[in-house]
């Protein structure tokens, strides 16, 4: 390819506009699936959970002690106890149909159904038992130390709403109601397609000029962490036919991400393939690193072209892929955590683009971690990034900056 045939970048789009464009073309997943409750943590409930029973399903003892008629204990005190006849014992999980009459009591364990005729429980610590009778040293009022039927959950009540994220406590509610499976929204399916002859699969030998495929693994991890299910496609060469075939092989996914295309020519190929049967929405973003980012839709499916350089690819994914996948998965937007720090050294930015400067934060100072777009090691040591606006040329040493943390 001669120099004259290289297409320059079209007009670059700002990060905000690019993100807005993407979000307009991404829809939350509509389909639901039933999964075992033990696998449902952090999933999004697809329909309201309505209680089919009362919890507790009967009036039960809230304490270990004695089931009594409250009136039999009136006037009891430390110095003048009331004495009741012990007519039974209920251990955990047991119940009785024997009715308690005046002057009688039954020893009861926490959680047992209250025997008929009883209307209160005296805590064991205010009693003394001698095998046949029980001395009671403290009066109780009716319903004392009893959990009433339906006190926790009433039959017909909506307990968890559609769209809520299932936490361990919410999964406990399913279990309390005896429900084994939860209806949740399906996870968005993402295909990650690495491209380029210079990229090699892990475990294979590198030949001259090759590097291992980093992006499939960094992107997959980030997407999995944010509620996606991921297919890592085999590496494909940068030819029009191979790119096009890969796109249609994975068109049944909810999102397709190409990573690679380090040369302008390869990116133009992907842009042409998208335009052929779909809509190219932008090609080039006004950020550094990450300018060579493109986005479009084919048959209604969002398609991304990410930079090939590992550090650019991953920092770009934090900016664009996380918001998309969370919207698709119906998860709330990730609120970035930020900290203030002082710049440890003077930074000069002359790119004419918004710059993402990756930094390490040590003792309140921000040290630049970024070396070059290709260096994933620099990113692995970074705590977060500082955004340098388009028109900002210099940040002086000691100047306060806002660091957006990766985690």
């Amino acid at each position: 390819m001669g120099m004259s045939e290289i297409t320059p970048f079209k007009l670059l789009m700002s990060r905000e506009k690019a993100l807005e464009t993407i979000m307009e073309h991404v829809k939350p997943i509509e389909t639901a699936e039933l999964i075992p409750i033990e696998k449902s943590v952090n999933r999004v409930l697809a329909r309201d959970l309505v209680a089919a029973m009362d919890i507790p399903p009967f009036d039960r003892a809230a304490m270990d002690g004695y089931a009594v008629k409250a009136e039999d204990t009136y006037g009891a005190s430390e110095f003048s106890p009331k004495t009741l006849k012990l007519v039974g014992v209920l251990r955990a999980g047991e119940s009785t149909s024997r009715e308690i009459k005046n002057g009688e009591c039954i020893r009861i364990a926490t959680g047992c159904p209250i025997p008929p005729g009883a209307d209160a429980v005296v805590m064991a610590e205010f009693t003394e038992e001698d095998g046949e009778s029980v001395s009671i040293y403290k009066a109780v009022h009716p319903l004392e130390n009893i959990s009433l039927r339906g006190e926790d959950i009433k039959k017909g009540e909506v307990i968890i709403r559609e769209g809520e994220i299932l936490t361990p406590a919410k999964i406990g509610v399913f279990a309390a109601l005896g429900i084994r499976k939860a209806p949740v929204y399906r996870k968005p399916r993402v295909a990650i397609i690495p491209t380029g002859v210079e990229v090699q699969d892990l475990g294979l030998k590198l030949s001259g000029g090759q590097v291992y495929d980093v992006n499939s693994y960094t992107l997959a991890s980030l997407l999995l962490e944010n509620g996606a299910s991921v297919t890592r496609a085999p590496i494909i060469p940068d030819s029009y036919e191979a790119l096009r075939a890969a796109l249609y092989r994975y068109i049944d996914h909810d999102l397709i991400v190409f990573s690679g295309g380090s040369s302008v020519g390869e990116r133009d190929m992907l842009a042409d393939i998208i335009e052929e049967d779909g809509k190219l929405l932008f090609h080039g973003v006004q950020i550094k690193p990450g300018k060579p980012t493109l986005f479009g839709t084919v048959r209604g499916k969002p398609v991304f072209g990410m930079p090939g350089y590992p550090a650019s690819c991953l920092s770009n994914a934090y900016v664009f892929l996380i918001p998309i996948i969370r919207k698709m998965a119906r998860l709330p937007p990730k609120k970035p955590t930020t900290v203030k720090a002082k710049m440890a050294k003077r930074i000069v930015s002359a790119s004419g683009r918004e710059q993402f400067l990756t930094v390490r934060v040590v003792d309140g100072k921000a040290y630049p971690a970024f070396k070059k777009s290709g260096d994933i090691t620099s990113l692995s040591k970074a705590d977060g990034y500082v955004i340098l606006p388009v028109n900002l040329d210099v940040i002086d040493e000691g100047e306060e900056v806002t660091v957006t943390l990766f985690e």
Side-chain angles (χ1 to χ4, degrees), residues 270-302:
L270 185 55
D272 291 343
I273 290 164
I274 292 172
E275 280 188 309
E276 185 187 308
D277 194 14
K279 215 164 41 172
L280 185 67
L281 292 152
F282 62 78
H283 184 186
V285 185
Q286 201 178 1
I287 55 177
K288 179 183 179 174
K291 179 168 80 164
T293 302
L294 63 89
F295 177 77
T297 57
V298 176
R299 297 187 190 168
K301 300 292 177 76

Side-chain angles (χ1 to χ4, degrees), residues 85 87-88 95-101 104-106 115-118:
K85 185 179 176 199
V87 294
S95 62
T96 182
S97 56
R98 187 195 190 289
E99 190 170 345
I100 287 187
K101 299 183 175 60
E104 296 180 339
C105 69
I106 285 181

Side-chain angles (χ1 to χ4, degrees), residues 333-398:
K334 223 179 186 141
K335 290 193 174 65
T337 312
T338 58
V339 294
K340 297 278 188 210
K342 291 199 175 3
M343 208 66 217
K345 58 183 273 194
R346 186 168 190 262
I347 297 292
V348 179
S349 165
S351 66
R353 290 181 268 151
E354 184 178 52
Q355 189 171 347
F356 278 66
L357 181 75
T358 44
V359 293
R360 287 192 329 272
V361 181
V362 185
D363 299 333
K365 284 188 177 172
Y367 294 85
F370 193 73
K371 299 174 196 158
K372 296 188 200 70
S373 315
D375 299 335
I376 191 70
T377 46
S378 64
L379 204 58
S380 74
K381 291 185 167 66
D383 297 310
Y385 56 84
V386 176
I387 300 179
L388 312 185
V390 177
N391 50 10
L392 181 79
D393 296 330
V394 176
I395 295 188
D396 280 315
E397 185 180 334

Side-chain angles (χ1 to χ4, degrees), residues 76-391:
S77 73
E78 218 177 313
F79 304 108
S80 87
K82 298 279 179 187
T83 305
L84 299 178
K85 185 179 176 199
L86 182 65
V87 294
V89 173
L90 287 182
R91 293 174 190 85
E94 296 178 344
S95 62
T96 182
S97 56
R98 187 195 190 289
E99 190 170 345
I100 287 187
K101 299 183 175 60
N102 282 97
E104 296 180 339
C105 69
I106 285 181
R107 180 160 17 113
I108 194 166
T110 305
C112 288
I114 299 297
D119 64 358
V121 173
V122 180
M123 285 166 68
E125 41 264 57
F126 301 114
T127 64
E128 212 162 38
E129 184 190 316
D130 68 4
E132 286 173 19
S133 64
V134 179
S135 302
I136 289 166
Y137 294 97
K138 189 182 181 200
V140 285
H141 52 75
L143 303 185
E144 193 164 335
N145 300 319
I146 290 181
S147 294
L148 293 176
R149 174 179 177 155
E151 188 174 79
D152 191 7
I153 295 172
K154 287 196 173 35
K155 184 177 174 177
E157 193 184 343
V158 176
I159 317 293
I160 311 172
R161 300 246 166 232
E162 178 274 330
E164 285 189 44
I165 295 172
L166 295 178
T167 58
K170 287 173 186 167
I171 289 164
V173 173
F174 276 86
L177 290 164
I179 301 170
R180 297 183 66 96
K181 291 190 168 180
V184 296
Y185 285 106
R186 171 175 75 66
K187 288 185 172 193
R189 296 171 62 222
V190 185
I192 298 172
I193 307 173
T195 67
V197 285
E198 74 282 8
V199 186
Q200 179 61 288
D201 261 324
L202 310 191
L204 298 180
K205 211 166 160 37
L206 292 178
S207 59
Q210 282 190 316
V211 291
Y212 284 120
D213 170 23
V214 171
N215 297 342
S216 292
Y217 297 91
T218 56
L219 293 179
S221 313
L222 194 67
L223 289 162
L224 288 169
E225 197 176 61
N226 286 281
S229 99
V230 174
T231 306
R232 277 188 308 102
I235 298 165
I236 58 157
D238 296 309
S239 76
Y240 198 89
E241 294 68 36
L243 286 168
R244 195 175 182 286
L247 173 61
Y248 290 103
R249 190 176 314 133
Y250 296 100
I251 200 80
D252 61 334
H253 285 59
D254 302 299
L255 171 66
I256 298 156
V257 181
F258 284 90
S259 103
S262 44
S263 81
V264 178
E266 291 157 18
R267 279 192 303 272
D268 283 349
M269 267 193 290
L270 185 55
D272 291 343
I273 290 164
I274 292 172
E275 280 188 309
E276 185 187 308
D277 194 14
K279 215 164 41 172
L280 185 67
L281 292 152
F282 62 78
H283 184 186
V285 185
Q286 201 178 1
I287 55 177
K288 179 183 179 174
K291 179 168 80 164
T293 302
L294 63 89
F295 177 77
T297 57
V298 176
R299 297 187 190 168
K301 300 292 177 76
V303 180
F304 243 104
M306 300 288 271
Y309 285 132
S312 318
C313 183
L314 185 56
S315 67
N316 227 29
Y318 274 99
V319 179
F320 295 123
L321 286 187
I322 289 180
I324 296 177
I325 208 62
R326 292 184 78 86
K327 179 176 177 179
M328 284 183 152
R330 296 172 178 264
L331 295 170
K334 223 179 186 141
K335 290 193 174 65
T337 312
T338 58
V339 294
K340 297 278 188 210
K342 291 199 175 3
M343 208 66 217
K345 58 183 273 194
R346 186 168 190 262
I347 297 292
V348 179
S349 165
S351 66
R353 290 181 268 151
E354 184 178 52
Q355 189 171 347
F356 278 66
L357 181 75
T358 44
V359 293
R360 287 192 329 272
V361 181
V362 185
D363 299 333
K365 284 188 177 172
Y367 294 85
F370 193 73
K371 299 174 196 158
K372 296 188 200 70
S373 315
D375 299 335
I376 191 70
T377 46
S378 64
L379 204 58
S380 74
K381 291 185 167 66
D383 297 310
Y385 56 84
V386 176
I387 300 179
L388 312 185
V390 177
N391 50 10

